[in-house]
Amino acid sequence: MKHKDIKPCPELVPFIHSFWELKGGDNDGQWERNFPDGCPGLVINLGDNCITDNGSLTMEHRKTYVVGAMTSFKDSFINADTHLLGVCIKPAAFSNLYSYAPQVEIINSTIEFENTNAFDFEKIIKDPFIYLNRFFIDRIGNKNKPLQPVIEDIHRANGQLSIQEIARRNHTTVRQLERNFRIHIGLTPKEYSNIVRFQHALSVIKGSAGERSLSDIAFDCGFYDHSHLTSEIKKNTGLVPSQL
């Protein structure tokens, strides 16, 4: 399997993390697991039909799909004829690019996009990343990102701020914060913070190369104890820490 990430052009950096391409290899025939990161995305299938969403959905050749933010892991089956091209959109930036349903309506889902919003298959296969940059530059509507300061607060604290503290820092109420998160991200502020905290713990575990105890990492990352951290990792990955 070959996977590559390409950064978007500077005009799109506030809205898009990356473009990516995945191609199956001759020896592939396996389930590939993605962990939640709080981001929505788009995928076009350039290869054979691809089974995703833990086996519940088949992405068809030439069609474009919108992928909602996840609250747990998602498996897709990759074989030699798999060829997917995707877009990782930054949290709360989907509405800057599309007039679509509130993000809470597509949480944990992969949904076929209507033709008016889908990628042009014939154009995208000629030069995918030039096409994607032009496509999204033309789509940028409102450049205002009202949740950006909140998201930055959550990331600076590695997901360890209480929702009450986040609301206080951003001069809003918990209720209004939760409403805006469900519209623009699909997750509650607590769910999003937990994902940020999980991702931080995951990077610490990988970076420690087994030299730090799980209890030590749990304490630093804002978990009650190593059992709490283990439970959160299993929820998000389907694995215990020793399997990562």
Side-chain angles (χ1 to χ4, degrees), residues 147-163 166 169-170 177 181 185 188-190 192-197:
L147 282 177
Q148 192 59 34
V150 180
I151 292 169
E152 290 173 357
D153 272 351
I154 292 172
H155 280 268
R156 275 195 296 266
N158 293 318
Q160 296 187 45
L161 290 175
S162 71
I163 306 309
I166 294 169
R169 291 186 180 197
N170 290 276
L177 195 62
F181 262 70
I185 296 181
T188 66
K190 185 174 182 179
Y192 185 78
S193 294
N194 286 345
I195 288 172
V196 171
R197 184 177 61 174

Side-chain angles (χ1 to χ4, degrees), residues 68-81:
M70 303 184 303
T71 59
S72 186
F73 62 86
K74 178 181 290 189
D75 288 340
S76 302
F77 192 78
I78 308 301
N79 62 31
D81 299 311

Side-chain angles (χ1 to χ4, degrees), residues 10-218:
E11 295 94 324
L12 295 175
V13 167
F15 313 102
I16 294 175
H17 272 304
S18 64
F19 303 129
W20 57 266
E21 184 175 31
L22 186 152
K23 291 183 178 180
D26 292 338
N27 298 320
D28 276 321
Q30 61 189 348
W31 290 94
E32 181 72 12
R33 179 160 293 180
N34 288 323
F35 303 155
D37 59 6
C39 299
L42 299 165
V43 180
I44 182 170
N45 186 2
L46 304 179
D48 282 358
N49 288 357
C50 178
I51 301 171
T52 188
D53 285 21
N54 304 325
S56 66
L57 177 78
T58 298
M59 292 191 293
E60 298 180 17
H61 178 61
R62 299 176 70 106
K63 292 187 176 179
T64 302
Y65 297 82
V66 57
V67 183
M70 303 184 303
T71 59
S72 186
F73 62 86
K74 178 181 290 189
D75 288 340
S76 302
F77 192 78
I78 308 301
N79 62 31
D81 299 311
T82 299
H83 186 188
L84 303 174
L85 191 69
V87 184
C88 180
I89 299 173
K90 290 187 175 181
F94 194 90
S95 59
N96 294 102
L97 303 169
Y98 289 94
S99 297
Y100 204 66
Q103 289 292 289
V104 70
E105 296 185 15
I106 61 171
I107 198 78
N108 291 319
S109 300
T110 301
I111 301 169
E112 183 183 342
F113 239 174
E114 60 273 16
N115 289 336
T116 53
N117 286 323
F119 299 133
D120 187 312
F121 180 84
E122 302 301 336
K123 292 180 179 178
I124 203 169
I125 58 175
K126 293 179 181 178
D127 201 324
F129 301 112
I130 289 179
Y131 170 86
L132 288 172
N133 276 305
R134 290 174 177 167
F135 179 89
F136 284 107
I137 285 174
D138 290 341
R139 288 203 71 91
I140 296 175
N142 179 13
K143 294 186 178 182
N144 182 37
K145 296 178 68 180
L147 282 177
Q148 192 59 34
V150 180
I151 292 169
E152 290 173 357
D153 272 351
I154 292 172
H155 280 268
R156 275 195 296 266
N158 293 318
Q160 296 187 45
L161 290 175
S162 71
I163 306 309
Q164 291 75 15
E165 177 62 15
I166 294 169
R168 186 191 67 78
R169 291 186 180 197
N170 290 276
H171 311 290
T172 187
T173 65
V174 170
R175 185 175 180 179
Q176 185 64 32
L177 195 62
E178 289 179 342
R179 179 177 178 274
N180 286 334
F181 262 70
R182 287 185 176 277
I183 291 172
H184 295 290
I185 296 181
L187 306 166
T188 66
K190 185 174 182 179
E191 286 173 330
Y192 185 78
S193 294
N194 286 345
I195 288 172
V196 171
R197 184 177 61 174
F198 150 72
Q199 286 284 354
H200 175 62
L202 197 63
S203 66
V204 173
I205 291 170
K206 291 180 177 181
S208 71
E211 295 180 359
R212 296 181 62 185
S213 72
L214 202 59
S215 294
D216 184 34
I217 293 173

